[in-house]
Coordinates of all heavy atoms in Angstrom, one line a residue:
M1 N 17.1 37.2 1.3 CA 16.8 36.3 0.1 C 15.3 35.9 0.3 O 14.9 35.5 1.3 CB 17.7 35.1 0.1 CG 17.3 34.1 -0.9 SD 18.6 32.8 -1.2 CE 18.3 31.8 0.2
M2 N 14.6 36.0 -0.8 CA 13.1 35.7 -0.8 C 12.9 34.3 -1.3 O 13.7 33.8 -2.2 CB 12.4 36.7 -1.7 CG 12.4 38.1 -1.3 SD 11.3 38.4 0.1 CE 9.7 38.2 -0.7
T3 N 11.9 33.6 -0.8 CA 11.6 32.3 -1.3 C 10.1 32.3 -1.6 O 9.3 33.1 -1.1 CB 11.9 31.2 -0.3 OG1 11.0 31.3 0.8 CG2 13.3 31.2 0.1
D4 N 9.7 31.3 -2.5 CA 8.3 31.2 -2.8 C 7.6 30.2 -2.0 O 6.4 29.8 -2.2 CB 8.2 30.8 -4.3 CG 8.6 31.9 -5.2 OD1 8.6 33.0 -4.8 OD2 8.9 31.5 -6.4
Q5 N 8.2 29.7 -0.9 CA 7.6 28.6 -0.1 C 6.8 29.3 1.0 O 7.1 30.3 1.6 CB 8.7 27.8 0.5 CG 9.5 27.0 -0.5 CD 10.5 26.1 0.2 OE1 10.9 26.3 1.4 NE2 11.0 25.1 -0.5
V6 N 5.7 28.6 1.3 CA 4.8 29.0 2.4 C 5.4 28.3 3.7 O 5.8 27.2 3.7 CB 3.4 28.4 2.1 CG1 2.5 28.7 3.3 CG2 2.8 29.0 0.8
P7 N 5.4 29.1 4.8 CA 5.9 28.5 6.0 C 5.1 27.3 6.4 O 3.9 27.3 6.3 CB 5.8 29.6 7.0 CG 5.6 30.9 6.3 CD 5.0 30.5 4.9
F8 N 5.8 26.3 7.0 CA 5.1 25.0 7.4 C 4.3 25.3 8.7 O 4.8 25.9 9.6 CB 6.1 23.9 7.6 CG 5.6 22.7 8.1 CD1 4.8 21.9 7.3 CD2 5.7 22.3 9.5 CE1 4.3 20.7 7.8 CE2 5.2 21.1 9.9 CZ 4.5 20.3 9.1
N9 N 3.1 24.9 8.7 CA 2.2 24.9 9.8 C 1.7 23.5 10.1 O 0.9 23.0 9.4 CB 1.0 25.9 9.6 CG 0.1 26.0 10.8 OD1 0.2 25.2 11.7 ND2 -0.7 27.0 10.8
P10 N 2.1 22.9 11.2 CA 1.8 21.5 11.5 C 0.3 21.3 11.7 O -0.2 20.1 11.7 CB 2.6 21.1 12.7 CG 3.0 22.4 13.3 CD 3.0 23.5 12.2
D11 N -0.5 22.3 12.0 CA -1.9 22.2 12.2 C -2.7 22.3 10.9 O -4.0 22.2 11.0 CB -2.4 23.3 13.2 CG -1.7 23.1 14.6 OD1 -1.5 21.9 15.0 OD2 -1.4 24.1 15.2
M12 N -2.1 22.5 9.8 CA -2.8 22.7 8.6 C -2.3 21.7 7.5 O -1.2 21.3 7.5 CB -2.6 24.1 8.0 CG -3.2 25.2 8.9 SD -3.2 26.8 8.2 CE -4.3 26.6 6.9
A13 N -3.2 21.3 6.7 CA -2.9 20.3 5.6 C -2.0 21.0 4.6 O -2.1 22.2 4.3 CB -4.2 19.9 4.9
C14 N -1.1 20.2 4.1 CA -0.1 20.6 3.0 C -0.6 20.4 1.6 O -0.3 21.1 0.7 CB 1.2 20.0 3.2 SG 2.1 20.4 4.7
T15 N -1.4 19.3 1.5 CA -1.9 18.9 0.2 C -3.3 19.4 -0.1 O -4.1 19.6 0.8 CB -1.9 17.4 0.0 OG1 -2.8 16.8 1.0 CG2 -0.5 16.8 0.2
L16 N -3.5 19.7 -1.4 CA -4.9 20.1 -1.8 C -5.9 19.0 -1.5 O -7.0 19.3 -1.2 CB -4.9 20.5 -3.2 CG -4.1 21.8 -3.6 CD1 -4.0 22.0 -5.1 CD2 -4.6 23.0 -2.9
A17 N -5.5 17.8 -1.7 CA -6.4 16.7 -1.5 C -6.9 16.7 -0.1 O -8.2 16.5 0.1 CB -5.7 15.4 -1.8
V18 N -6.1 16.8 0.9 CA -6.5 16.8 2.3 C -7.3 18.1 2.6 O -8.4 18.1 3.3 CB -5.4 16.7 3.3 CG1 -5.8 16.9 4.7 CG2 -4.7 15.3 3.1
R19 N -6.8 19.2 2.1 CA -7.6 20.5 2.4 C -9.0 20.4 1.9 O -10.0 20.8 2.5 CB -6.9 21.7 1.7 CG -5.7 22.1 2.4 CD -5.1 23.4 1.8 NE -3.7 23.3 1.8 CZ -2.9 23.7 0.9 NH1 -3.4 24.4 -0.1 NH2 -1.6 23.6 1.0
H20 N -9.2 19.9 0.6 CA -10.5 19.8 0.1 C -11.3 18.8 0.9 O -12.5 19.0 1.1 CB -10.4 19.3 -1.4 CG -11.7 19.1 -2.1 ND1 -12.4 18.0 -2.1 CD2 -12.5 20.0 -2.7 CE1 -13.5 18.1 -2.7 NE2 -13.6 19.4 -3.1
H21 N -10.8 17.6 1.2 CA -11.5 16.6 2.0 C -12.0 17.2 3.3 O -13.1 17.0 3.7 CB -10.7 15.4 2.2 CG -11.5 14.2 2.6 ND1 -12.2 13.4 1.8 CD2 -11.7 13.7 3.9 CE1 -12.8 12.5 2.5 NE2 -12.5 12.7 3.8
L22 N -11.1 17.9 4.0 CA -11.5 18.4 5.3 C -12.6 19.5 5.2 O -13.4 19.6 6.0 CB -10.3 19.0 6.0 CG -9.2 18.0 6.5 CD1 -8.0 18.7 7.1 CD2 -9.9 17.1 7.6
A23 N -12.5 20.2 4.1 CA -13.5 21.3 3.9 C -14.9 20.8 3.5 O -15.9 21.4 3.9 CB -13.0 22.3 2.8
H24 N -14.9 19.6 2.9 CA -16.2 19.1 2.3 C -16.7 17.8 2.9 O -17.9 17.5 2.8 CB -16.1 18.9 0.8 CG -15.8 20.2 0.1 ND1 -14.6 20.8 -0.1 CD2 -16.7 21.1 -0.4 CE1 -14.7 21.9 -0.7 NE2 -16.0 22.1 -1.0
H25 N -15.8 17.0 3.5 CA -16.3 15.6 3.8 C -15.9 15.2 5.2 O -16.3 14.1 5.6 CB -15.7 14.6 2.9 CG -15.9 14.9 1.4 ND1 -17.2 14.8 0.8 CD2 -15.1 15.4 0.5 CE1 -17.1 15.2 -0.4 NE2 -15.8 15.5 -0.7
A26 N -15.1 15.9 5.9 CA -14.5 15.4 7.1 C -15.5 15.3 8.3 O -16.2 16.2 8.5 CB -13.3 16.2 7.6
A27 N -15.4 14.1 9.0 CA -16.2 13.9 10.2 C -15.3 14.4 11.4 O -14.1 14.5 11.2 CB -16.5 12.5 10.3
A28 N -16.0 14.6 12.5 CA -15.3 15.1 13.7 C -14.2 14.0 14.0 O -14.4 12.8 14.0 CB -16.2 15.2 14.8
G29 N -13.0 14.5 14.3 CA -11.9 13.6 14.7 C -11.1 13.1 13.6 O -10.1 12.4 13.8
M30 N -11.5 13.3 12.3 CA -10.8 12.8 11.2 C -9.6 13.6 10.8 O -8.6 13.1 10.2 CB -11.8 12.8 10.0 CG -11.3 12.1 8.8 SD -12.5 12.1 7.5 CE -12.3 10.5 6.8
E31 N -9.6 14.9 11.2 CA -8.5 15.8 10.8 C -7.1 15.2 11.3 O -6.2 15.2 10.5 CB -8.7 17.2 11.4 CG -7.7 18.2 11.0 CD -7.9 19.6 11.4 OE1 -8.9 19.8 12.1 OE2 -7.2 20.5 11.0
A32 N -7.0 14.8 12.5 CA -5.7 14.3 13.0 C -5.3 13.1 12.2 O -4.1 13.0 11.9 CB -5.9 13.9 14.5
D33 N -6.2 12.2 11.9 CA -5.8 11.0 11.1 C -5.3 11.4 9.7 O -4.2 10.9 9.2 CB -6.9 10.1 10.9 CG -7.2 9.3 12.2 OD1 -6.3 9.2 13.0 OD2 -8.3 8.7 12.3
L34 N -6.0 12.3 9.1 CA -5.6 12.8 7.7 C -4.3 13.5 7.7 O -3.4 13.4 6.8 CB -6.7 13.6 7.0 CG -8.0 12.8 6.8 CD1 -9.0 13.7 6.1 CD2 -7.7 11.5 6.0
L35 N -4.1 14.4 8.7 CA -2.8 15.1 8.8 C -1.7 14.1 9.1 O -0.6 14.2 8.6 CB -2.9 16.2 9.9 CG -3.8 17.3 9.6 CD1 -3.8 18.3 10.8 CD2 -3.3 18.1 8.4
F36 N -1.9 13.1 9.9 CA -0.9 12.1 10.2 C -0.5 11.3 8.9 O 0.6 11.2 8.6 CB -1.4 11.1 11.2 CG -0.4 10.0 11.6 CD1 0.6 10.3 12.5 CD2 -0.4 8.8 11.0 CE1 1.5 9.3 12.9 CE2 0.5 7.8 11.3 CZ 1.5 8.1 12.2
L37 N -1.5 10.9 8.1 CA -1.3 10.2 6.9 C -0.5 11.1 5.9 O 0.5 10.7 5.3 CB -2.6 9.8 6.2 CG -2.5 9.2 4.8 CD1 -1.7 7.9 4.8 CD2 -3.9 9.0 4.3
E38 N -0.9 12.4 5.8 CA -0.2 13.3 4.9 C 1.3 13.4 5.3 O 2.2 13.3 4.5 CB -0.9 14.6 5.0 CG -0.4 15.7 4.0 CD -1.0 17.0 4.2 OE1 -0.9 17.6 5.3 OE2 -1.7 17.4 3.3
R39 N 1.5 13.6 6.6 CA 2.9 13.8 7.0 C 3.7 12.5 6.8 O 4.9 12.5 6.5 CB 3.0 14.2 8.5 CG 2.3 15.5 8.9 CD 2.7 16.6 8.0 NE 2.2 17.9 8.6 CZ 1.1 18.5 8.2 NH1 0.3 18.0 7.3 NH2 0.7 19.6 8.7
W40 N 3.0 11.4 7.1 CA 3.7 10.1 6.9 C 4.1 9.9 5.4 O 5.2 9.4 5.1 CB 2.8 8.9 7.4 CG 3.6 7.7 7.6 CD1 4.2 7.2 8.7 CD2 3.8 6.6 6.6 NE1 4.8 6.0 8.5 CE2 4.6 5.6 7.2 CE3 3.4 6.5 5.3 CZ2 5.0 4.5 6.5 CZ3 3.8 5.3 4.6 CH2 4.6 4.4 5.2
E41 N 3.2 10.3 4.5 CA 3.5 10.1 3.1 C 4.7 11.0 2.7 O 5.5 10.7 1.8 CB 2.3 10.5 2.2 CG 1.1 9.5 2.4 CD 1.4 8.2 1.8 OE1 2.4 8.0 1.1 OE2 0.6 7.3 2.0
M42 N 4.8 12.2 3.4 CA 5.9 13.1 3.1 C 7.3 12.6 3.7 O 8.3 12.7 3.1 CB 5.6 14.5 3.6 CG 4.6 15.2 2.8 SD 4.4 16.9 3.3 CE 3.3 16.8 4.7
S43 N 7.2 11.9 4.9 CA 8.4 11.5 5.6 C 8.0 10.3 6.5 O 7.6 10.5 7.6 CB 9.0 12.6 6.4 OG 10.1 12.2 7.1
P44 N 8.0 9.1 5.9 CA 7.6 7.9 6.7 C 8.3 7.8 8.0 O 9.5 7.9 8.1 CB 7.8 6.7 5.8 CG 7.9 7.3 4.4 CD 8.4 8.7 4.6
A45 N 7.6 7.5 9.1 CA 8.1 7.3 10.4 C 8.5 5.8 10.5 O 7.7 5.0 10.1 CB 7.2 7.7 11.5
P46 N 9.6 5.5 11.2 CA 9.9 4.1 11.4 C 9.0 3.4 12.5 O 8.4 4.1 13.3 CB 11.3 4.1 11.9 CG 11.5 5.5 12.6 CD 10.5 6.4 11.8
G47 N 8.9 2.2 12.4 CA 8.2 1.4 13.4 C 6.8 0.9 12.9 O 6.2 1.3 12.0
A48 N 6.4 -0.1 13.7 CA 5.2 -0.8 13.3 C 3.9 0.0 13.7 O 2.9 0.0 12.9 CB 5.1 -2.2 14.0
G49 N 4.0 0.7 14.8 CA 2.8 1.5 15.2 C 2.4 2.5 14.1 O 1.2 2.5 13.7
P50 N 3.3 3.4 13.7 CA 2.9 4.4 12.6 C 2.4 3.7 11.3 O 1.5 4.1 10.7 CB 4.1 5.2 12.4 CG 4.9 5.1 13.7 CD 4.6 3.7 14.2
A51 N 3.1 2.6 11.0 CA 2.8 1.9 9.7 C 1.4 1.3 9.8 O 0.6 1.3 8.9 CB 3.8 0.8 9.4
L52 N 1.0 0.7 11.0 CA -0.3 0.2 11.2 C -1.4 1.3 11.1 O -2.5 1.1 10.5 CB -0.4 -0.6 12.5 CG 0.3 -1.9 12.5 CD1 0.3 -2.5 13.9 CD2 -0.3 -2.9 11.6
R53 N -1.1 2.4 11.7 CA -2.1 3.5 11.7 C -2.3 4.0 10.3 O -3.4 4.2 9.8 CB -1.6 4.7 12.6 CG -2.6 5.8 12.7 CD -2.1 6.9 13.7 NE -3.1 8.0 13.7 CZ -2.8 9.1 14.2 NH1 -1.7 9.4 14.8 NH2 -3.8 10.1 14.2
V54 N -1.2 4.1 9.5 CA -1.3 4.6 8.1 C -2.1 3.5 7.3 O -3.0 3.9 6.5 CB 0.1 4.8 7.5 CG1 0.0 4.9 6.0 CG2 0.7 6.1 8.1
A55 N -1.9 2.3 7.5 CA -2.6 1.2 6.8 C -4.1 1.3 7.1 O -4.9 1.2 6.2 CB -2.1 -0.2 7.2
Q56 N -4.5 1.6 8.3 CA -5.9 1.7 8.7 C -6.5 2.9 8.0 O -7.6 2.8 7.5 CB -6.0 1.8 10.2 CG -5.8 0.5 11.0 CD -5.8 0.8 12.5 OE1 -5.5 1.8 13.0 NE2 -6.3 -0.3 13.2
I57 N -5.8 4.0 8.0 CA -6.3 5.2 7.4 C -6.5 5.0 5.9 O -7.5 5.4 5.3 CB -5.4 6.5 7.7 CG1 -5.4 6.7 9.3 CG2 -6.0 7.7 7.0 CD1 -4.3 7.7 9.7
R58 N -5.5 4.4 5.3 CA -5.5 4.1 3.8 C -6.7 3.2 3.5 O -7.4 3.4 2.5 CB -4.2 3.5 3.4 CG -3.1 4.4 3.2 CD -1.9 3.6 2.8 NE -0.7 4.5 2.5 CZ 0.5 4.0 2.4 NH1 0.7 2.7 2.5 NH2 1.5 4.8 2.2
R59 N -6.9 2.2 4.3 CA -8.1 1.3 4.1 C -9.4 2.0 4.2 O -10.3 1.7 3.4 CB -8.1 0.1 5.1 CG -7.5 -1.1 4.5 CD -7.8 -2.3 5.4 NE -7.6 -2.2 6.8 CZ -6.4 -2.2 7.5 NH1 -5.3 -2.5 6.8 NH2 -6.3 -2.1 8.8
A60 N -9.5 2.9 5.1 CA -10.8 3.7 5.3 C -11.0 4.7 4.2 O -12.1 5.1 3.9 CB -10.8 4.3 6.6
N61 N -9.9 5.2 3.6 CA -10.0 6.3 2.6 C -9.0 6.0 1.4 O -8.1 6.8 1.1 CB -9.5 7.6 3.2 CG -10.3 7.9 4.5 OD1 -11.4 8.4 4.4 ND2 -9.7 7.7 5.6
P62 N -9.3 4.9 0.6 CA -8.3 4.6 -0.4 C -8.1 5.6 -1.5 O -7.0 5.9 -1.9 CB -8.9 3.3 -1.0 CG -10.3 3.2 -0.6 CD -10.4 4.0 0.7
E63 N -9.2 6.3 -1.9 CA -9.1 7.3 -3.0 C -8.3 8.5 -2.5 O -7.4 9.0 -3.2 CB -10.5 7.7 -3.5 CG -11.2 6.6 -4.2 CD -12.0 5.8 -3.2 OE1 -12.2 6.1 -2.1 OE2 -12.5 4.7 -3.6
L64 N -8.6 8.9 -1.3 CA -7.9 10.1 -0.7 C -6.5 9.7 -0.5 O -5.6 10.6 -0.8 CB -8.6 10.5 0.6 CG -7.9 11.7 1.3 CD1 -7.9 12.9 0.4 CD2 -8.7 12.0 2.6
A65 N -6.2 8.6 0.0 CA -4.8 8.2 0.2 C -4.0 8.2 -1.1 O -2.8 8.6 -1.1 CB -4.7 6.8 0.9
A66 N -4.6 7.7 -2.1 CA -3.9 7.7 -3.4 C -3.7 9.1 -3.9 O -2.6 9.4 -4.5 CB -4.8 6.9 -4.5
A67 N -4.7 10.0 -3.7 CA -4.5 11.4 -4.1 C -3.4 12.1 -3.3 O -2.6 12.8 -3.9 CB -5.8 12.1 -3.9
I68 N -3.3 11.8 -2.1 CA -2.2 12.4 -1.2 C -0.9 11.9 -1.7 O 0.1 12.7 -1.9 CB -2.4 12.0 0.3 CG1 -3.7 12.7 0.8 CG2 -1.2 12.4 1.1 CD1 -4.1 12.2 2.2
R69 N -0.8 10.5 -1.9 CA 0.5 10.0 -2.4 C 0.9 10.6 -3.8 O 2.1 11.0 -4.0 CB 0.4 8.5 -2.6 CG 0.7 7.7 -1.4 CD 0.9 6.2 -1.6 NE -0.2 5.6 -2.3 CZ -1.3 5.1 -1.7 NH1 -1.4 5.2 -0.4 NH2 -2.3 4.6 -2.3
A70 N 0.0 10.8 -4.7 CA 0.3 11.3 -6.0 C 0.7 12.8 -5.9 O 1.7 13.2 -6.5 CB -0.9 11.2 -6.9
E71 N 0.0 13.5 -5.0 CA 0.4 15.0 -4.8 C 1.7 15.1 -4.2 O 2.5 16.0 -4.6 CB -0.7 15.6 -4.0 CG -0.7 17.1 -4.1 CD -1.9 17.8 -3.4 OE1 -3.0 17.2 -3.3 OE2 -1.7 19.0 -3.0
V72 N 2.0 14.3 -3.2 CA 3.3 14.4 -2.5 C 4.4 14.0 -3.5 O 5.5 14.6 -3.6 CB 3.3 13.5 -1.3 CG1 4.8 13.3 -0.7 CG2 2.4 14.1 -0.2
A73 N 4.2 12.9 -4.3 CA 5.2 12.5 -5.2 C 5.5 13.5 -6.3 O 6.6 13.8 -6.7 CB 4.7 11.2 -5.9
A74 N 4.4 14.2 -6.8 CA 4.6 15.2 -7.8 C 5.3 16.4 -7.2 O 6.2 17.0 -7.8 CB 3.2 15.7 -8.3
G75 N 5.1 16.7 -5.9 CA 5.8 17.8 -5.3 C 7.2 17.5 -5.1 O 8.1 18.4 -5.2
L76 N 7.5 16.3 -4.7 CA 8.9 15.9 -4.5 C 9.7 15.9 -5.9 O 10.9 16.2 -5.9 CB 9.0 14.5 -3.9 CG 8.5 14.5 -2.4 CD1 8.5 13.0 -1.9 CD2 9.3 15.4 -1.5
R77 N 9.0 15.5 -6.9 CA 9.7 15.5 -8.3 C 10.0 17.0 -8.7 O 10.9 17.2 -9.4 CB 8.8 14.8 -9.3 CG 8.9 13.3 -9.2 CD 8.2 12.7 -10.5 NE 6.9 13.2 -10.7 CZ 5.8 12.6 -10.3 NH1 5.9 11.5 -9.6 NH2 4.6 13.0 -10.5
D78 N 9.1 17.9 -8.3 CA 9.2 19.3 -8.7 C 10.3 20.0 -7.9 O 10.8 21.1 -8.4 CB 7.9 20.1 -8.6 CG 6.9 19.6 -9.5 OD1 7.2 18.9 -10.5 OD2 5.7 19.8 -9.3
S79 N 10.7 19.5 -6.8 CA 11.7 20.2 -6.0 C 13.1 20.0 -6.4 O 13.4 19.1 -7.1 CB 11.6 19.9 -4.5 OG 10.8 18.9 -4.1

């Protein structure tokens, strides 16, 4: 059986918003934070630690965080 899904690669961004940002604007060390935020938006992890990290990343990148949330929400609605 064939599917149209791309295999998941944990080292690569899933959203276009993060891919674009990493290609054009990312500073060294930012990739891990953005991938963490993206994964958290797709499947929030329990606990205060992850929530605090996400809050810090969102504060530092509010427009990007909103774009990731919107893209993830649209993808979830389409599935």
Side-chain angles (χ1 to χ4, degrees):
M1 175 167 76
M2 297 283 293
T3 65
D4 292 339
Q5 293 182 342
V6 176
F8 177 72
N9 181 343
D11 296 325
M12 296 188 66
C14 294
T15 61
L16 292 174
V18 172
R19 284 187 218 144
H20 181 269
H21 192 82
L22 290 174
H24 295 86
H25 308 288
M30 187 178 219
E31 183 175 4
D33 284 339
L34 296 182
L35 291 176
F36 182 84
L37 174 61
E38 184 184 67
R39 299 313 189 260
W40 196 90
E41 293 292 350
M42 290 189 275
S43 180
L52 289 172
R53 184 174 178 194
V54 165
Q56 288 175 326
I57 299 167
R58 283 178 176 165
R59 259 193 315 277
N61 305 282
E63 296 85 14
L64 179 59
I68 293 168
R69 272 193 305 274
E71 195 171 334
V72 168
L76 293 175
R77 282 193 304 267
D78 292 342
S79 6

